[in-house]
Amino acid sequence: MTPIEFDNLEKLFYEEKTNSYYKTLSGAKSARKDAYVYRVWISHNLLKKHPIFAYGESLCSIKEADKQILKSIEAEQQKQQQLF
């Protein structure tokens, strides 16, 4: 896959319990004492997410979450190409 081919791609942080989006990880983490934060990529109707912070502990880095999201998108694209 070439560089992300999405129009208006936004990379944000989503705090699950407040159902809110944040531009920074610190903003999402401070939303609640027991925050559960995902890294999300949003482009039109595309929404991919990967957990990065839960129960007061880091689950993975932002960079690793972005890699996992990209890997998921590439896998979906390969499946679609195989159908045609």
Side-chain angles (χ1 to χ4, degrees):
M1 181 171 156
T2 57
I4 298 300
E5 302 152 348
F6 302 112
D7 293 334
N8 302 318
L9 177 67
E10 279 192 276
K11 294 180 181 181
L12 300 171
F13 299 94
Y14 171 72
E15 201 292 307
E16 184 176 67
K17 294 179 181 179
T18 61
N19 197 29
S20 300
Y21 293 90
Y22 299 86
K23 290 190 182 258
T24 64
L25 176 58
S26 62
K29 286 168 51 175
S30 66
R32 285 183 56 104
K33 184 178 180 182
D34 56 346
Y36 198 99
V37 181
Y38 290 90
R39 176 65 159 172
V40 296
W41 287 16
I42 304 169
S43 176
H44 301 292
N45 62 350
L46 172 71
L47 172 64
K48 291 288 181 186
K49 65 182 184 177
H50 191 81
I52 61 170
F53 186 83
Y55 308 109
E57 294 186 21
S58 178
L59 302 176
C60 71
S61 68
I62 297 168
K63 186 176 182 177
E64 181 61 29
D66 285 345
K67 285 181 186 178
Q68 293 299 321
I69 291 170
L70 181 58
K71 188 176 177 180
S72 173
I73 291 169
E74 288 173 340
E76 282 185 11
Q77 287 180 342
Q78 285 181 343
K79 284 182 186 179
Q80 288 178 353
Q81 288 175 353
Q82 290 175 353
L83 294 175
F84 296 106

XYZ file of all heavy atoms in Angstrom:
700
model
N 0.849 -1.180 0.000
C 0.000 0.000 0.000
C 0.894 1.242 0.000
O 1.858 1.316 0.723
C -0.893 -0.028 1.241
C -1.821 1.116 1.348
S -2.970 0.764 2.705
C -3.428 2.390 3.126
N 0.548 2.170 -0.813
C 1.281 3.427 -0.866
C 0.894 4.251 0.354
O 0.029 3.835 1.127
C 0.937 4.183 -2.157
O -0.453 4.384 -2.200
C 1.390 3.396 -3.372
N 1.483 5.425 0.541
C 1.070 6.236 1.695
C -0.448 6.330 1.759
O -1.118 6.252 0.743
C 1.701 7.597 1.409
C 2.873 7.287 0.558
C 2.488 6.083 -0.252
N -0.957 6.472 2.933
C -2.398 6.429 3.157
C -3.140 7.225 2.092
O -2.859 8.380 1.859
C -2.757 6.945 4.561
C -2.120 6.059 5.606
C -4.246 6.987 4.771
C -2.524 4.629 5.573
N -4.067 6.546 1.466
C -4.816 7.123 0.356
C -6.209 7.540 0.796
O -7.169 7.351 0.083
C -4.899 6.092 -0.765
C -3.539 5.642 -1.235
C -3.532 4.233 -1.788
O -4.522 3.503 -1.619
O -2.516 3.858 -2.376
N -6.319 8.086 1.963
C -7.607 8.494 2.483
C -7.715 10.008 2.446
O -6.775 10.701 2.807
C -7.793 8.030 3.925
C -7.671 6.546 4.095
C -6.610 6.009 4.790
C -8.606 5.699 3.551
C -6.490 4.653 4.952
C -8.493 4.326 3.709
C -7.435 3.801 4.401
N -8.857 10.489 2.033
C -9.103 11.924 2.085
C -9.489 12.291 3.507
O -10.254 11.587 4.147
C -10.241 12.316 1.138
C -9.864 12.112 -0.308
O -8.658 12.157 -0.620
O -10.772 11.900 -1.129
N -8.966 13.380 3.975
C -9.340 13.912 5.294
C -9.157 12.904 6.429
O -10.004 12.797 7.305
C -10.787 14.409 5.272
C -11.003 15.459 4.222
O -10.167 16.344 4.054
N -12.096 15.367 3.495
N -8.074 12.157 6.415
C -7.799 11.193 7.473
C -7.481 11.928 8.766
O -6.656 12.831 8.789
C -6.620 10.304 7.091
C -6.185 9.293 8.146
C -7.276 8.237 8.352
C -4.891 8.650 7.748
N -8.156 11.542 9.828
C -7.889 12.111 11.149
C -7.399 11.002 12.066
O -7.975 9.922 12.109
C -9.155 12.713 11.759
C -9.499 14.080 11.271
C -10.576 14.693 12.145
O -11.747 14.396 11.888
O -10.230 15.442 13.073
N -6.338 11.278 12.794
C -5.833 10.357 13.803
C -6.108 11.016 15.150
O -5.577 12.076 15.449
C -4.342 10.109 13.615
C -4.025 9.388 12.325
C -2.534 9.162 12.197
C -2.197 8.468 10.902
N -0.740 8.214 10.781
N -6.962 10.372 15.929
C -7.388 10.927 17.211
C -7.277 9.877 18.296
O -6.864 8.738 18.052
C -8.850 11.408 17.112
C -9.160 12.479 16.078
C -10.657 12.674 15.958
C -8.480 13.785 16.444
N -7.700 10.257 19.496
C -7.790 9.351 20.631
C -9.248 9.320 21.078
O -9.897 10.357 21.148
C -6.877 9.819 21.764
C -5.439 9.850 21.350
C -4.867 11.012 20.869
C -4.672 8.709 21.405
C -3.557 11.049 20.456
C -3.352 8.723 20.996
C -2.791 9.899 20.517
N -9.745 8.123 21.352
C -11.144 7.940 21.731
C -11.196 7.364 23.139
O -10.586 6.333 23.417
C -11.810 6.996 20.740
C -13.195 6.556 21.132
C -14.269 7.430 21.071
C -13.438 5.252 21.545
C -15.546 7.021 21.425
C -14.703 4.839 21.895
C -15.752 5.720 21.838
O -17.017 5.318 22.179
N -11.908 8.045 24.036
C -12.095 7.544 25.395
C -13.458 6.871 25.443
O -14.486 7.509 25.258
C -12.003 8.685 26.414
C -11.671 8.221 27.830
C -12.772 7.423 28.490
O -13.903 7.916 28.513
O -12.502 6.312 28.976
N -13.435 5.571 25.657
C -14.635 4.738 25.526
C -15.749 5.079 26.518
O -16.920 5.130 26.157
C -14.231 3.272 25.683
C -15.359 2.301 25.482
C -14.877 0.875 25.553
O -14.451 0.446 26.653
O -14.921 0.211 24.520
N -15.417 5.330 27.753
C -16.447 5.517 28.777
C -17.187 6.841 28.650
O -18.346 6.948 29.018
C -15.840 5.352 30.163
C -15.369 3.926 30.380
C -14.740 3.714 31.721
C -14.280 2.272 31.839
N -13.647 1.994 33.103
N -16.511 7.865 28.114
C -17.180 9.154 27.900
C -17.677 9.298 26.463
O -18.350 10.263 26.135
C -16.231 10.334 28.204
O -15.106 10.264 27.329
C -15.797 10.333 29.648
N -17.288 8.331 25.619
C -17.667 8.343 24.197
C -17.226 9.658 23.531
O -17.965 10.266 22.779
C -19.174 8.141 24.043
C -19.560 7.748 22.644
O -18.785 7.119 21.927
N -20.758 8.123 22.236
N -15.983 10.074 23.843
C -15.466 11.352 23.361
C -14.149 11.167 22.616
O -13.386 10.243 22.896
C -15.225 12.305 24.531
O -16.434 12.541 25.220
N -13.886 12.097 21.679
C -12.654 12.096 20.897
C -11.757 13.240 21.349
O -12.235 14.318 21.693
C -12.976 12.260 19.404
C -13.706 11.072 18.845
C -15.098 11.021 18.853
C -13.021 9.986 18.318
C -15.779 9.924 18.349
C -13.687 8.876 17.811
C -15.062 8.857 17.841
O -15.732 7.776 17.337
N -10.447 12.992 21.328
C -9.461 13.977 21.765
C -8.313 14.018 20.770
O -7.976 13.007 20.157
C -8.906 13.611 23.150
C -9.968 13.572 24.215
C -10.708 12.425 24.438
C -10.239 14.691 24.984
C -11.702 12.391 25.403
C -11.232 14.665 25.958
C -11.960 13.520 26.153
O -12.942 13.479 27.107
N -7.679 15.176 20.658
C -6.514 15.323 19.780
C -5.247 14.806 20.443
O -4.293 14.457 19.764
C -6.338 16.773 19.361
C -7.427 17.236 18.414
C -7.087 18.586 17.827
C -8.208 19.033 16.938
N -7.931 18.843 15.542
N -5.230 14.770 21.780
C -4.032 14.322 22.496
C -4.350 13.138 23.413
O -5.464 13.006 23.933
C -3.436 15.448 23.361
O -4.379 15.796 24.381
C -3.103 16.672 22.518
N -3.339 12.309 23.617
C -3.484 11.183 24.532
C -3.704 11.679 25.960
O -4.538 11.142 26.680
C -2.243 10.290 24.460
C -2.185 9.117 25.427
C -3.389 8.193 25.245
C -0.885 8.355 25.248
N -2.991 12.721 26.349
C -3.145 13.225 27.715
C -4.561 13.743 27.959
O -5.109 13.567 29.049
C -2.122 14.316 28.023
O -2.291 15.416 27.170
N -5.155 14.359 26.951
C -6.537 14.819 27.078
C -7.500 13.667 27.278
O -8.403 13.718 28.121
N -7.303 12.599 26.517
C -8.173 11.421 26.640
C -7.979 10.724 27.983
O -8.945 10.308 28.618
C -7.899 10.455 25.489
N -6.727 10.613 28.422
C -6.442 9.952 29.701
C -7.016 10.732 30.875
O -7.437 10.143 31.868
C -4.938 9.778 29.884
C -4.355 8.690 29.023
C -2.845 8.684 28.964
C -2.120 8.709 30.246
N -0.649 8.582 30.091
N -7.050 12.044 30.776
C -7.540 12.850 31.896
C -9.061 12.977 31.910
O -9.622 13.574 32.826
C -6.899 14.232 31.868
O -7.316 14.942 30.723
N -9.739 12.405 30.943
C -11.198 12.492 30.876
C -11.870 11.767 32.044
O -12.920 12.193 32.525
C -11.706 11.925 29.553
N -11.269 10.682 32.473
C -11.799 9.896 33.592
C -10.641 9.288 34.363
O -9.588 9.012 33.799
C -12.685 8.757 33.088
C -14.044 9.193 32.599
C -14.869 7.982 32.185
N -15.007 7.008 33.259
C -16.106 6.839 33.976
N -17.164 7.581 33.744
N -16.174 5.936 34.912
N -10.891 9.005 35.614
C -9.861 8.367 36.439
C -9.517 6.986 35.887
O -8.364 6.574 35.876
C -10.342 8.261 37.882
C -9.322 7.702 38.818
C -9.829 7.660 40.234
C -8.775 7.078 41.152
N -9.248 6.985 42.525
N -10.523 6.267 35.427
C -10.319 4.920 34.895
C -10.528 4.905 33.370
O -11.291 4.121 32.832
C -11.251 3.924 35.572
C -12.719 4.319 35.456
O -13.012 5.477 35.096
O -13.569 3.457 35.713
N -9.826 5.783 32.680
C -9.984 5.950 31.228
C -9.592 4.677 30.463
O -8.676 3.954 30.861
C -9.133 7.110 30.742
N -10.312 4.430 29.384
C -9.993 3.348 28.451
C -9.871 4.020 27.087
O -10.869 4.408 26.499
C -11.095 2.285 28.450
C -10.631 0.977 27.873
C -10.252 -0.062 28.706
C -10.553 0.784 26.503
C -9.811 -1.272 28.190
C -10.111 -0.415 25.982
C -9.737 -1.437 26.826
O -9.293 -2.630 26.309
N -8.620 4.163 26.617
C -8.341 4.997 25.453
C -7.895 4.164 24.260
O -7.057 3.265 24.382
C -7.241 6.040 25.783
C -6.956 6.922 24.587
C -7.652 6.885 26.985
N -8.462 4.490 23.095
C -8.085 3.879 21.823
C -7.423 4.917 20.936
O -7.767 6.095 20.981
C -9.329 3.397 21.063
C -10.027 2.225 21.664
C -11.043 2.398 22.598
C -9.716 0.930 21.271
C -11.709 1.320 23.133
C -10.380 -0.158 21.803
C -11.374 0.038 22.724
O -12.032 -1.034 23.258
N -6.523 4.474 20.079
C -6.035 5.289 18.971
C -7.012 5.013 17.835
O -7.310 3.841 17.544
C -4.627 4.858 18.587
C -4.063 5.571 17.381
C -3.875 7.033 17.642
N -2.912 7.581 16.697
C -2.650 8.846 16.573
N -3.276 9.726 17.333
N -1.765 9.277 15.714
N -7.555 6.031 17.219
C -8.521 5.838 16.135
C -8.092 6.585 14.886
O -7.483 7.651 14.961
C -9.951 6.284 16.535
C -10.487 5.429 17.654
C -10.000 7.745 16.928
N -8.391 5.984 13.750
C -8.218 6.619 12.445
C -9.607 6.761 11.860
O -10.353 5.778 11.748
C -7.377 5.764 11.514
C -5.916 5.710 11.828
C -5.304 6.078 12.994
C -4.888 5.233 10.967
N -3.959 5.859 12.902
C -3.669 5.341 11.664
C -4.877 4.722 9.683
C -2.460 4.957 11.110
C -3.669 4.333 9.142
C -2.478 4.467 9.842
N -9.961 7.960 11.470
C -11.283 8.230 10.926
C -11.128 8.907 9.572
O -10.412 9.886 9.438
C -12.099 9.139 11.862
C -12.204 8.527 13.244
C -13.481 9.414 11.278
C -12.767 9.461 14.290
N -11.818 8.369 8.580
C -11.860 8.982 7.262
C -13.223 8.664 6.664
O -13.496 7.513 6.322
C -10.760 8.422 6.362
O -10.855 8.954 5.066
N -14.053 9.671 6.553
C -15.430 9.491 6.080
C -16.104 8.429 6.949
O -16.247 8.629 8.141
C -15.469 9.157 4.600
C -14.839 10.213 3.746
N -15.388 11.461 3.598
C -13.694 10.207 3.030
C -14.611 12.175 2.820
N -13.571 11.449 2.463
N -16.438 7.279 6.396
C -17.119 6.256 7.196
C -16.153 5.208 7.749
O -16.569 4.284 8.408
C -18.214 5.574 6.381
C -17.655 4.853 5.167
O -16.494 5.006 4.818
N -18.483 4.077 4.509
N -14.855 5.361 7.480
C -13.875 4.403 7.976
C -13.535 4.710 9.426
O -13.222 5.841 9.771
C -12.592 4.467 7.138
C -11.411 3.648 7.666
C -11.694 2.162 7.493
C -10.149 4.031 6.946
N -13.598 3.714 10.250
C -13.192 3.869 11.646
C -12.413 2.628 12.043
O -12.944 1.520 12.017
C -14.394 4.041 12.563
C -14.111 4.011 14.061
C -13.225 5.183 14.465
C -15.386 4.048 14.853
N -11.166 2.814 12.356
C -10.325 1.731 12.872
C -9.802 2.174 14.222
O -9.479 3.338 14.428
C -9.138 1.460 11.942
C -9.524 0.851 10.632
C -9.941 -0.571 10.850
C -10.313 -1.209 9.532
N -10.844 -2.539 9.728
N -9.705 1.240 15.153
C -9.208 1.606 16.471
C -8.341 0.499 17.045
O -8.457 -0.664 16.661
C -10.363 1.934 17.415
C -11.286 0.781 17.730
C -12.419 1.239 18.630
C -13.294 0.063 19.033
N -14.340 0.474 19.959
N -7.465 0.907 17.962
C -6.581 -0.029 18.656
C -6.381 0.500 20.074
O -6.070 1.681 20.258
C -5.234 -0.128 17.920
C -4.382 -1.240 18.421
N -4.568 -2.541 18.017
C -3.354 -1.252 19.299
C -3.671 -3.306 18.624
N -2.930 -2.536 19.414
N -6.553 -0.347 21.092
C -6.412 0.132 22.472
C -4.969 0.505 22.800
O -4.038 -0.196 22.406
C -6.883 -1.051 23.311
C -6.709 -2.238 22.431
C -6.887 -1.764 21.028
N -4.799 1.623 23.510
C -3.448 2.033 23.903
C -3.302 2.313 25.399
O -2.196 2.329 25.903
C -2.959 3.250 23.097
C -3.843 4.450 23.307
C -2.819 2.931 21.637
C -3.257 5.715 22.728
N -4.414 2.510 26.106
C -4.333 2.818 27.530
C -5.580 2.295 28.233
O -6.701 2.554 27.790
C -4.223 4.336 27.740
C -3.997 4.749 29.156
C -2.721 4.747 29.699
C -5.046 5.143 29.962
C -2.498 5.128 31.016
C -4.849 5.522 31.274
C -3.566 5.518 31.809
N -5.381 1.535 29.313
C -6.525 1.018 30.074
C -6.097 0.709 31.505
O -4.962 0.299 31.744
C -7.073 -0.243 29.426
N -7.014 0.911 32.430
C -6.801 0.570 33.834
C -5.521 1.202 34.388
O -4.787 0.581 35.155
C -6.793 -0.947 34.017
C -8.004 -1.599 33.413
C -7.898 -2.373 32.265
C -9.272 -1.401 33.949
C -9.018 -2.954 31.687
C -10.397 -1.971 33.380
C -10.257 -2.747 32.248
O -11.356 -3.315 31.679
N -5.233 2.419 33.960
C -4.085 3.145 34.469
C -2.744 2.728 33.899
O -1.702 3.163 34.374
N -2.748 1.868 32.886
C -1.497 1.385 32.304
C -1.497 1.510 30.795
O -2.530 1.353 30.148
C -1.265 -0.081 32.676
C -1.035 -0.304 34.149
C -0.664 -1.741 34.456
O -0.197 -2.447 33.544
O -0.848 -2.151 35.595
N -0.322 1.742 30.251
C -0.154 1.794 28.806
C -0.198 0.372 28.245
O 0.425 -0.533 28.793
C 1.180 2.444 28.464
O 1.378 2.462 27.082
N -0.949 0.169 27.168
C -1.033 -1.140 26.531
C -0.052 -1.245 25.366
O 0.456 -2.323 25.073
C -2.453 -1.409 26.037
C -3.537 -1.354 27.109
C -4.908 -1.539 26.491
C -3.280 -2.409 28.167
N 0.166 -0.142 24.676
C 1.152 -0.082 23.603
C 1.420 1.386 23.289
O 0.699 2.263 23.737
C 0.695 -0.841 22.358
S -0.634 -0.076 21.432
N 2.450 1.625 22.492
C 2.772 2.998 22.117
C 1.830 3.483 21.019
O 1.173 2.683 20.345
C 4.216 3.086 21.628
O 4.355 2.397 20.394
N 1.786 4.779 20.825
C 0.979 5.349 19.744
C 1.496 4.837 18.408
O 0.716 4.454 17.530
C 1.012 6.889 19.796
C 0.378 7.387 21.093
C 0.315 7.496 18.583
C 0.619 8.857 21.376
N 2.806 4.800 18.263
C 3.421 4.315 17.020
C 3.016 2.866 16.735
O 2.685 2.519 15.597
C 4.944 4.437 17.131
C 5.684 4.106 15.869
C 7.179 4.359 16.049
C 7.931 4.082 14.773
N 9.358 4.393 14.909
N 3.031 2.026 17.757
C 2.642 0.622 17.581
C 1.159 0.509 17.227
O 0.773 -0.301 16.385
C 2.958 -0.190 18.839
C 2.605 -1.653 18.728
C 3.342 -2.401 17.621
O 4.476 -2.029 17.278
O 2.762 -3.369 17.090
N 0.321 1.302 17.870
C -1.113 1.285 17.551
C -1.341 1.689 16.096
O -2.144 1.070 15.394
C -1.876 2.207 18.487
N -0.620 2.722 15.645
C -0.749 3.147 14.246
C -0.316 2.036 13.292
O -0.948 1.809 12.262
C 0.067 4.411 13.990
C -0.581 5.661 14.569
O -1.785 5.623 14.925
O 0.117 6.694 14.656
N 0.751 1.318 13.633
C 1.198 0.189 12.802
C 0.126 -0.897 12.726
O -0.130 -1.460 11.665
C 2.493 -0.416 13.360
C 3.720 0.399 13.104
C 4.940 -0.316 13.682
C 6.187 0.512 13.576
N 7.359 -0.158 14.175
N -0.503 -1.193 13.861
C -1.533 -2.232 13.898
C -2.769 -1.820 13.085
O -3.380 -2.645 12.402
C -1.928 -2.548 15.345
C -0.827 -3.207 16.139
C -0.400 -4.544 15.552
O -1.206 -5.327 15.085
N 0.899 -4.794 15.570
N -3.130 -0.560 13.163
C -4.274 -0.065 12.390
C -3.961 -0.150 10.908
O -4.793 -0.625 10.113
C -4.642 1.374 12.810
C -5.218 1.373 14.232
C -5.630 1.986 11.825
C -5.386 2.749 14.845
N -2.778 0.272 10.502
C -2.378 0.209 9.098
C -2.369 -1.231 8.611
O -2.857 -1.536 7.515
C -1.003 0.851 8.902
C -0.472 0.879 7.475
C -1.426 1.623 6.549
C 0.911 1.495 7.446
N -1.861 -2.128 9.426
C -1.835 -3.555 9.084
C -3.259 -4.085 8.866
O -3.519 -4.836 7.930
C -1.141 -4.322 10.210
C -0.865 -5.750 9.939
C -0.075 -6.332 11.116
C 0.182 -7.800 10.952
N 0.944 -8.357 12.078
N -4.179 -3.686 9.709
C -5.579 -4.097 9.585
C -6.206 -3.571 8.288
O -6.927 -4.289 7.593
C -6.370 -3.595 10.789
O -7.740 -3.828 10.633
N -5.913 -2.324 7.957
C -6.452 -1.724 6.729
C -5.883 -2.441 5.505
O -6.614 -2.760 4.562
C -6.141 -0.214 6.682
C -6.960 0.512 7.751
C -6.431 0.364 5.298
C -6.553 1.953 7.967
N -4.582 -2.721 5.527
C -3.956 -3.421 4.401
C -4.542 -4.816 4.221
O -4.781 -5.257 3.103
C -2.448 -3.493 4.605
C -1.758 -2.165 4.423
C -0.284 -2.199 4.783
O 0.152 -3.114 5.522
O 0.436 -1.296 4.322
N -4.804 -5.519 5.323
C -5.402 -6.853 5.246
C -6.794 -6.793 4.631
O -7.157 -7.642 3.809
C -5.456 -7.490 6.639
N -7.568 -5.790 5.005
C -8.906 -5.631 4.427
C -8.830 -5.337 2.932
O -9.624 -5.844 2.156
C -9.673 -4.522 5.133
C -10.242 -4.936 6.449
C -11.101 -3.858 7.079
O -11.430 -2.863 6.408
O -11.448 -4.010 8.255
N -7.861 -4.502 2.543
C -7.705 -4.176 1.129
C -7.323 -5.419 0.326
O -7.802 -5.612 -0.789
C -6.673 -3.066 0.935
C -7.177 -1.717 1.366
C -6.146 -0.617 1.175
O -4.960 -0.876 1.027
N -6.607 0.618 1.191
N -6.461 -6.271 0.879
C -6.081 -7.498 0.202
C -7.279 -8.429 0.033
O -7.451 -9.046 -1.006
C -4.965 -8.209 0.950
C -3.618 -7.553 0.782
C -2.512 -8.302 1.513
O -2.770 -9.125 2.385
N -1.276 -7.985 1.164
N -8.123 -8.529 1.057
C -9.323 -9.358 0.962
C -10.237 -8.868 -0.137
O -10.781 -9.651 -0.905
C -10.081 -9.369 2.290
C -9.471 -10.220 3.356
C -10.330 -10.183 4.616
C -9.675 -10.905 5.745
N -10.482 -10.847 6.982
N -10.409 -7.540 -0.230
C -11.272 -6.971 -1.258
C -10.709 -7.219 -2.642
O -11.452 -7.494 -3.583
C -11.461 -5.469 -1.023
C -12.323 -5.160 0.156
C -12.460 -3.668 0.410
O -11.808 -2.856 -0.230
N -13.307 -3.304 1.372
N -9.383 -7.140 -2.801
C -8.770 -7.394 -4.096
C -8.930 -8.852 -4.508
O -9.084 -9.149 -5.685
C -7.292 -7.000 -4.068
C -7.072 -5.515 -4.035
C -5.614 -5.132 -3.898
O -4.750 -5.996 -3.698
N -5.321 -3.850 -3.968
N -8.903 -9.757 -3.565
C -9.069 -11.179 -3.861
C -10.486 -11.497 -4.318
O -10.705 -12.440 -5.066
C -8.712 -12.028 -2.639
C -7.231 -12.023 -2.338
C -6.903 -12.764 -1.060
O -7.792 -13.184 -0.325
N -5.617 -12.910 -0.777
N -11.447 -10.710 -3.875
C -12.835 -10.926 -4.273
C -13.072 -10.564 -5.730
O -14.008 -11.050 -6.351
C -13.785 -10.147 -3.365
C -13.847 -10.589 -1.915
C -14.727 -9.647 -1.115
C -14.355 -12.008 -1.804
N -12.234 -9.682 -6.255
C -12.419 -9.226 -7.639
C -11.450 -9.872 -8.519
O -10.791 -10.256 -9.037
C -12.309 -7.704 -7.745
C -13.389 -7.015 -6.977
C -13.116 -6.374 -5.778
C -14.684 -7.015 -7.425
C -14.097 -5.733 -5.072
C -15.694 -6.378 -6.728
C -15.398 -5.737 -5.538
